[in-house]
Amino acid sequence: MSLATRPPRPATRPDRLPRSAAADRGHEIRLGLAGVAGLVLLVAGIPAALVIFVGYPLPRSAPSHDWLTQTITATLIIKILACVVWLVWAHFAVCLISEWRALRRGRLPRTVPLGGGSQLLARRLVAAALLLGGAATATFPHGGGHVAAPPAAVASQHAGGTVAGVPAWQGVSPADQLAAAAHDAGGEADTPAAAHKYYVVRPPHGRRYDSLWDIAERTLKDPLRYKEIFALNKDRVQSDGSKLVDANLIRPGWELRLPADASGPGVRELQPNVPAPHQDAAATPSAADQAPVEQVPLLPAQADAAPVTHSAASVPSLATARPASATPDTSLESITLGGGLMLAGLLVALTARRGPYAPAGADEQALALSADAGLAATLDRALRLLAAARADQGRALPQPVVAWASPEQVTLNLAGGDTAEPPAPWQSAAEGWSWTCRLAELPEHPRLAETSAPFPGLLSVGRHETYEVFVDFEQAPGLVSLCGDVERGRELATALAVQAATSVWSDGARVSVVGFGDGADVARIQPRAITETAHLADLLDELEQEHEAVQRLQRQLGVDGVLTGRQARRDQAWRPHVLVLSGPPTPDETRRLQLLVGSGRSNVIVLVVGDTAGARWRFTLDASGGLDLGILGASAQAHRLPRAGAARLAELAASAEAGRRAESGAVAALTPQQAAAREEALRAVPPVPSGPATVAVQLLGPVSVTAPGPIDPAKRELATEIVVAIAVQPDGLHDAVLRASIWPRGVSDDVSAAALADVAAWLGTDPSGRPALIDDGGRWRLGDCVRVDLDELRRLAATATGPDELAALQQAIALFHGEAFSATPAERYRWLAFARSAREANVVGTAVTRRAAALLADQQRTADAEEVLRRGLQLTPTAEPLWRDLLALAGRRGPEPAAAVAADLYRTLREHRAWPEPETDALVAQLAPGSAAAQTA
C-alpha cells in the first residue's frame, strides 16, 4: 500500500489542522460566551432556583426543641439536601473568588481546602470568560484608534514571510500577523512601518512573578490593557515550544509583543527593515533577459510524477538571495527558530568544542533555556532500546517514515505494516502501521551503550501542536525537494544540516552543503562534520565511492541494507551522508544521484532547495514557515536557521574552540597547588570538617547523595539536584539563585518550600541535633556533617607537598569514581554547564593526576603511572593533557602500545563529539607512524 493512499499517522495525533484566524476568534468568542453563561448559571441560577423551589435558606425564627422531634418528611429531606447544595455553592463561590482575585493580581491561585473539582471548574470558567475578553480585544479595536487590517492587506504589505519587516516567527499564526500589523493598517501604503515592541518576561524575584497585569501597568500605564497583550501573543510558539493560552500563566524568558504605545523599563524595539531604494527600470532584468526555462526529462522511476520545469535562475544562490531591504538579525532569536532539539545537539557540540576546562558564555546559557535536552536524550534512549530489543528478538528493525515525539510518547509511522509484536514498551496500532512508546515506561538494557543509533537520518522538520514532527530521510525513494518559498526552504535546509551533524540520537552524520555561497558559516559550526562545496560535480565521485564501499560492507556481512548492517556491527561506514543542494541539479547529476538514493533505504540523503525533476518527496513551505509534507500526509511549522543565526553559531563555535586551546595549554602547566590556588582566588579551600559525617555528596563521578533520612523515590532526583546545587557553593546559595537554577522557568513559593522541606528531612541532623540543611538569612548552605568529595579533592591538592606528596595525591585520585558530574538527568542540571565547580573538578583533577603520574614515572613505576592516568581519564575523558602523557608513556614501550592508546583516544573523543587538538595529532603521528589512528589523525 502506497503512502499516497494510506498516509501514516500516529493513533493519538489530533487529525484537525490549524484553523484560520477568523475561526480562532470565533471559537474563542463562543467559548467565552459559554463560560460567562456558565458563571451566571452557577453563581445566580442555583441560588435563585433554591429560593424559588425550596424556600429561603435561613430560619425566620429562633430554633426550638420541636426541630429535633418533628417527623421526618419528604419536605424535610428536600430541605436538608438543599442545605447541602447551599454549602457546595458557597464553597464554589469561594473557589471562584480565589481564582478571580489571582487573575486580577496576576498571581497563581492558592489552593482552596477541599477545592478539587470545584476549583478546577471555577478556573476553567474564569479562563473561558478571559478568552471572551481576549477575542474581543483582537476583534474590536482599542479606543486608541487601532484598526485591524484584513488578511489580504497584511499579505500585500508584508510579503516574503515578514510582518512589517520582522522575520516570521516559528508558530506565528494569521491572528498574530493581524494583531502585529494592526497599527499600520490605517496608514498610507508608502508610510514607513513603525518599530515593533517586545518585552521579555522576567524570572521570579523573591515572591514576585511577572504577570500580564503588571506588565500592562508598567508599560501601558493601564493594567486593564493586559487583554491587548494577551491578544497579541495568544497561541504564539515561544522559544521553549510552549504557547500562551491562559492570561494568568506566563513563563520567564518568553518574549511578548506589546502595543505600539508601550514604553518603560524592559520594553525593546525591533526596527523594521529599511525599504529597498527605488531601482531604475533599466537595471531590472526583463523577461527576455531571464535564463530560459528548461524541460528536464523524467527518469523511469518518476514516470508517475508530473513533469517539472526549472531553470538555473529559478533558485538564486544564497549569496544573492538576500533582499536589498534585509537587515541582518544577529540576536539569539534567529537561532532558536531551529527548535529545541536542534539546540540540544548544538549545546553538546559547543561543549565538546569548548573542552573540559573553558567556561561557557552567556549566549550558551541563553540557548540552554530553549534547548529540549530532555526530549533529545529520551528519544535517543527509546530508539536505541528499540534497536537492542529487536536484535535480542532476532528481528529486523522497522522502517519508519514519519515520527512524532512529545515529552510523553514517541510514535513511528512505518513504510509498511509490520505485524510482528513490537518489543515492550512499544505498542502496535493501525494494523502495524504505527508503533508508539510511552517514554515514562522505558526499561533498562544492559547493552544500550554498545547499540548503534538505528535511525541517524531521522530529523525533526518542525512542530505540529505539541508534537515534534520527524522525517526519516534515509527512507526517501529519491531526492527530497523543499519547494515553495525559497528563503524559508534554505532556512529549513540549514537547520536540518546542523541538526544532522549534531543530533544526540545519532552516532554522527556527514553533511555537505553545495552552492550556498556564504554557507561557509554553516560549515564553521561543526567543521569536522559539515563541509561546504561550490559545485556538486566536485563531490559526486566521492559520494559514489562511499556508496560502493557501503554496498561491499553489506555483502561482506551478509546483510540487506543499512538498518540490518547497523544491527550487525557498529561502524562509522553506516553513518549517513546528507547532501544539501542550494538549487536543482542538472539532468546528468540528477541521474547519478538517483542511482545512489532511488533503490531503497540508503546512507545517502539528498535535500534540494527548490523543485526538481528528481524528487519523489516534495515538501512545500509558505512565507510564514508553514510546512506541508505532501505525500507523507503531515504538516508542521518548519524549523529554520536563518543566515544570521548560522553566522552567530559560527562565532560561538570559534570562540569555544579558542577558549579550549587556551585553557588546555594553561591547565597543562599547573601543579596541584597552583590549580587549587587558581580556584582559591575565587573561592577559599574549605576547612577540614570537625564533626563526623552523616551525609555524603559524590560529584567526582556519577552524582549521588547518601543521607540518613527518608525520601520519596519520585522526589529523589529533584532533591539530589538541590543538594548538589548547594554543595558546590560552600559559602551559601541565595534562595533566589537556587530557585532560578532548579526551576529556570519559574516556580510557586509553595512548591519550592515543599521541596526544600523534603531535602531538610532527607539530610536530617548531625549527632548534636543541628540540621544538615541550613537557612542562613536567605542563603542555603550545608552543615559540617555533610562531606563533599570535590571539597576533599581541593584540600588534598592544596596540601600535597613534601615527603607525603605522592600519598596525598593517590588519596585524592582514589576519590575518582567516573566522569565528574555524570549520570544526571538530561532535563535537569542545566545550570551545571555554567557552574565553576564542574570545570574546577576537571582542572584540579588533571593537575593532581599528571603530578602523581610524573612522580611514579620518576620511580620507574611506568605501569602504575599509566594506571593513574587512566583513572584521571575516567574523571575527565576528554582531558588531552592526560592523553598525551599516556601516549608518551606507552611510546616508551614501542609503536604498538602507542597505537592502542591512540585508538582509545580517538574513540573516546568521538563518543564525546570532540576532536583532537593539533598537538595530540602530532604526537600520535610521531609515536605511532603508519598506524590506523595516525592515518585518522
Side-chain angles (χ1 to χ4, degrees), residues 778-813:
R779 299 182 71 90
W780 296 98
R781 61 182 181 85
L782 301 177
D784 290 340
C785 64
V786 180
R787 294 291 189 272
V788 182
D789 58 0
L790 177 58
D791 292 341
E792 183 67 15
L793 170 65
R794 297 177 62 226
R795 281 193 292 267
L796 290 168
T799 58
T801 57
D804 298 329
E805 179 184 9
L806 180 58
L809 294 176
Q810 290 176 319
Q811 183 180 353
I813 293 170

Side-chain angles (χ1 to χ4, degrees), residues 535-554:
H535 304 288
L536 177 58
D538 300 335
L539 194 62
L540 271 175
D541 289 343
E542 181 183 350
L543 278 170
E544 291 167 341
Q545 293 171 7
E546 287 183 2
H547 185 68
E548 177 57 31
V550 170
Q551 297 291 322
R552 285 197 303 270
L553 184 57
Q554 291 179 12

Side-chain angles (χ1 to χ4, degrees), residues 464-480:
H464 180 85
E465 297 182 350
T466 60
Y467 287 90
E468 288 284 337
V469 183
F470 294 80
V471 172
D472 192 347
F473 287 94
E474 283 188 341
Q475 189 69 27
L479 281 64
V480 180

Side-chain angles (χ1 to χ4, degrees), residues 296-354:
V296 179
L298 295 180
L299 300 175
Q302 300 170 296
D304 56 341
V308 180
T309 59
H310 74 89
S311 71
S314 61
V315 183
S317 69
L318 188 62
T320 60
R322 180 178 301 166
S325 60
T327 300
D329 175 17
T330 58
S331 69
L332 293 178
E333 296 157 7
S334 60
I335 302 175
T336 60
L337 291 176
L341 291 176
M342 185 195 79
L343 293 179
L346 273 172
L347 289 174
V348 172
L350 287 174
T351 299
R353 295 286 295 275
R354 187 166 23 87

Side-chain angles (χ1 to χ4, degrees), residues 278-303:
H278 176 72
Q279 292 183 340
D280 184 74
T284 304
S286 65
D289 296 327
Q290 301 293 330
V293 176
E294 177 185 8
Q295 180 75 35
V296 179
L298 295 180
L299 300 175
Q302 300 170 296

Side-chain angles (χ1 to χ4, degrees), residues 184-211:
D184 290 332
E188 298 295 332
D190 58 351
T191 302
H196 287 277
K197 296 185 177 179
Y198 292 84
Y199 176 88
V200 178
V201 180
R202 301 173 181 172
H205 180 68
R207 296 177 178 269
R208 187 171 184 82
Y209 294 78
D210 247 349
S211 67

Side-chain angles (χ1 to χ4, degrees), residues 394-645:
R395 294 183 178 272
L397 285 164
Q399 301 270 351
V401 179
V402 178
W404 308 79
S406 71
E408 291 77 33
Q409 69 180 40
V410 174
T411 297
L412 303 179
N413 298 154
L414 308 183
D418 193 325
T419 57
E421 186 68 20
W426 289 86
Q427 296 181 347
S428 177
E431 301 178 354
W433 287 78
S434 175
W435 283 12
T436 297
C437 173
R438 300 287 299 178
L439 298 179
E441 301 172 1
L442 290 175
E444 298 297 330
H445 194 283
R447 298 188 306 277
L448 192 62
E450 292 79 31
T451 302
S452 298
F455 310 119
L458 191 69
L459 303 177
S460 177
V461 296
R463 193 173 183 87
H464 180 85
E465 297 182 350
T466 60
Y467 287 90
E468 288 284 337
V469 183
F470 294 80
V471 172
D472 192 347
F473 287 94
E474 283 188 341
Q475 189 69 27
L479 281 64
V480 180
S481 281
L482 305 180
C483 310
D485 188 278
V486 173
E487 190 64 20
R488 298 296 167 261
R490 294 177 188 279
E491 293 170 351
L492 172 59
T494 305
L496 292 176
V498 174
Q499 187 184 149
T502 61
S503 65
V504 299
W505 58 92
S506 166
D507 291 329
R510 180 181 174 187
V511 180
S512 297
V513 293
V514 181
F516 271 63
D518 56 358
D521 285 335
V522 183
R524 288 194 296 124
I525 296 172
Q526 196 78 328
R528 295 285 184 105
I530 306 175
T531 57
E532 201 275 336
T533 305
H535 304 288
L536 177 58
D538 300 335
L539 194 62
L540 271 175
D541 289 343
E542 181 183 350
L543 278 170
E544 291 167 341
Q545 293 171 7
E546 287 183 2
H547 185 68
E548 177 57 31
V550 170
Q551 297 291 322
R552 285 197 303 270
L553 184 57
Q554 291 179 12
R555 292 191 292 269
Q556 291 171 6
L557 298 177
V559 298
D560 58 359
V562 293
L563 285 186
T564 49
R566 290 179 185 132
Q567 282 184 295
R569 189 174 78 186
R570 193 169 188 173
D571 196 299
Q572 283 291 300
W574 304 120
R575 66 174 182 166
H577 192 152
V578 182
L579 191 63
V580 184
L581 309 181
S582 65
T586 66
D588 181 64
E589 292 170 341
T590 300
R591 179 188 59 80
R592 294 175 67 181
L593 290 172
Q594 187 67 25
L595 292 174
L596 300 177
V597 300
S599 58
R601 181 179 283 268
S602 170
N603 67 310
V604 178
I605 297 169
V606 182
L607 305 179
V608 183
V609 178
D611 205 349
T612 178
R616 297 300 302 274
W617 287 357
R618 288 180 171 84
F619 301 162
T620 305
L621 294 104
D622 60 28
S624 64
L627 176 64
D628 182 355
L629 296 182
I631 194 174
L632 302 188
S635 62
Q637 187 67 29
H639 293 321
R640 295 151 37 208
L641 183 60
R643 286 184 295 271

